[in-house]
Amino acid sequence: MTHPPYLSPAYRSTLLRAPSRPPLRLKADPDAIELTSPVFGHHEVADREADLTTQHTGEPLGERIIVSGRVLDGLGRPVRNTLVEIWQANSAGRYAHDRDRHPAPLDPNFTGAGRCLTDDEGRYRFVTVKPGAYPWRNHHNAWRPAHIHFSVFGTAFTQRLVTQMYFPGDPLFPFDPIFQSIPDAAARERLIAGFDMDTTEPEWALGYRFDVTLGRTPLEDS
Amino acid sequence: MTTPSQTVGPFFGYALPYAQGGELVPEDHPGAITVTGLVLDGAGEPVPDALLELWLGETGTRGALDRRGPGGSGFGRCPTAPDGSYRFRSARPATPYLALLVFARGLLKPVMTRVYLDDAPDPLLDSLEPAVRATLVARAETADTYVFDVRLQGDGETAFLEF
Ligand SMILES: [Fe+2]
């Protein structure tokens, strides 16, 4: 099983929010609107939105990184011109969000939100800084491993994916109920970006690669 | 090998919502409808940090993200307010239903459902027992305002769908 179950008691917020009944499985109906997806125009997303380090007057503090990869469909084909959105904490582990109470500094030069459209090969690329780990109140001494939130569209509404990208070798993996909510170890590994010398730029930034593969649609299954 | 889902978490609010995301059509759009309601948890409490996405099946003349100009978009995105409420303004869909996705902290993957505007014969609705069927049919509060609550868990739990 790739995706986590709704109910994952170690992640306490699932207790009152996980549906108690399994979803109804619809028969493959080629007319179902859920098998189509919004399309995005290039005028709707500016190129500069993919660089999270140039949104303010100064440069953000932290380790500059380049995160790139491809969005693929369930058959391994590139998903073109699709919207990829990311958001993350700053290098100190603090979100630019009103309700984040972690007593780590905000960075006036870092908001931590970006978006881009994939190219004809399904590729995306963001420039950002490496986010810090941060505490949360799920249990005593709970810390989230450093992560970047991803939101990705496919060619069908059923493929809509929101996930989190992690960094290799994080010592917090065994202790994180959100990462561990994915039952299959091999599936968990797919959320860990790879350090990539090929996209690392000399004298500038480390490169990480993170490919996103969307689920098959009923039409692709048949 | 499919990439697994993870929760949207509590801190998407400064990143994913965008200007007029819930307004798929301009205010003066002929035949515009409002789809509004609450997102509730298993204790019946409002969920103040959910994100809803509405899809009509066609992107339309306005963009999915850019609300300039006349006409309509087929895609909308709206976070819940502190009282758990959401509100979309949309054109009337060509299909009997609108597709709805809900993301939230505590949802490790989104829930998908349909907002039916009328309780008319339909292959999906007709396959459900009455109490479950009722969770998919919006209540017409006025001729152009439809109320659709999403109950994530427990009494009156909304019927969620997968393909
Ligand atoms: Fe986070």
Side-chain angles (χ1 to χ4, degrees):
Chain A
M1 187 167 68
T2 289
H3 296 299
Y6 285 112
L7 183 62
S8 191
Y11 173 27
R12 288 194 329 194
S13 295
T14 66
L15 294 174
L16 281 173
R17 294 186 172 187
S20 63
R21 288 193 310 255
L24 301 166
R25 181 167 273 275
L26 268 69
K27 291 186 201 72
D29 166 10
D31 294 328
I33 64 173
E34 292 90 344
L35 302 184
T36 61
S37 173
V39 293
F40 301 94
H42 279 272
H43 67 282
E44 296 190 286
V45 182
D47 289 347
R48 60 182 154 73
E49 294 184 69
D51 190 339
L52 285 70
T53 68
T54 53
Q55 295 175 350
H56 299 273
T57 50
E59 283 211 79
L61 291 172
E63 186 183 345
R64 190 185 299 114
I65 60 173
I66 296 161
V67 178
S68 65
R70 297 175 79 201
V71 179
L72 305 166
D73 72 10
L75 299 178
R77 301 172 300 199
V79 184
R80 303 182 171 93
N81 297 320
T82 203
L83 180 66
V84 180
E85 295 161 285
I86 65 169
W87 69 104
Q88 61 168 95
N90 68 22
S91 61
R94 176 83 184 263
Y95 282 92
H97 188 288
D98 305 341
R99 290 204 296 273
D100 187 354
R101 295 283 173 253
H102 178 33
L106 285 166
D107 184 339
N109 289 315
F110 192 72
T111 302
R115 58 185 190 176
C116 72
L117 297 184
T118 56
D119 70 10
D120 280 348
E121 312 296 327
R123 287 181 301 225
Y124 72 85
R125 179 179 183 274
F126 291 103
V127 178
T128 183
V129 296
K130 192 172 180 188
Y134 61 84
W136 58 313
R137 295 191 177 156
N138 186 70
H139 56 275
H140 174 67
N141 213 5
W143 292 81
R144 295 296 329 281
H147 59 274
I148 298 177
H149 294 267
F150 269 71
S151 163
V152 182
F153 286 77
T155 54
F157 210 47
T158 58
Q159 292 177 309
R160 189 77 181 83
L161 179 73
V162 167
T163 191
Q164 302 180 25
M165 183 206 97
Y166 300 92
F167 291 85
D170 197 309
L172 293 169
F173 289 147
F175 307 103
D176 180 40
I178 293 181
F179 182 68
Q180 295 294 338
S181 69
I182 300 161
D184 176 35
R188 289 197 294 274
E189 290 291 318
R190 296 203 284 277
L191 291 184
I192 304 173
F195 168 68
D196 184 22
M197 195 55 103
D198 289 340
T199 53
T200 293
E201 296 193 8
E203 323 291 323
W204 174 251
L206 295 185
Y208 288 91
R209 265 198 76 94
F210 180 60
D211 290 337
V212 174
T213 302
L214 303 174
R216 288 196 182 199
T217 68
L219 301 178
E220 290 165 348
D221 274 339
S222 55
Chain B
M1 299 300 267
T2 310
T3 304
S5 177
Q6 294 271 265
T7 180
V8 75
F11 297 137
F12 59 81
Y14 70 95
L16 294 181
Y18 54 92
Q20 297 178 277
E23 299 169 19
L24 288 70
V25 296
E27 198 163 6
D28 57 359
H29 187 83
I33 60 170
T34 295
V35 178
T36 184
L38 296 170
V39 180
L40 301 165
D41 71 11
E45 294 294 322
V47 175
D49 52 3
L51 183 77
L52 291 86
E53 289 184 348
L54 193 70
W55 173 234
L56 274 66
E58 286 177 21
T59 300
T61 51
R62 287 175 130 192
L65 304 171
D66 183 347
R67 296 303 193 225
R68 279 175 298 181
S73 172
F75 177 76
R77 178 185 276 173
C78 178
T80 51
D83 65 355
S85 68
Y86 72 90
R87 176 175 292 264
F88 288 102
R89 185 170 63 230
S90 167
R92 205 169 274 277
T95 47
Y97 61 90
L98 308 99
L100 185 69
L101 278 176
V102 182
F103 301 86
R105 170 177 64 83
L107 282 179
L108 285 159
K109 50 192 173 184
V111 288
M112 180 162 56
T113 189
R114 285 179 173 179
V115 181
Y116 280 87
L117 299 182
D118 286 300
D119 194 359
D122 173 88
L124 169 61
L125 292 183
D126 295 346
S127 71
L128 304 175
E129 57 179 278
V132 177
R133 175 186 185 117
T135 70
L136 296 184
V137 181
R139 188 175 80 246
E141 199 175 67
T142 68
D144 53 14
T145 301
Y146 294 88
V147 178
F148 185 86
D149 294 334
V150 177
R151 289 184 168 76
L152 293 175
Q153 184 192 87
D155 278 349
E157 184 174 308
T158 302
F160 299 115
L161 311 174
E162 68 178 6
F163 282 77

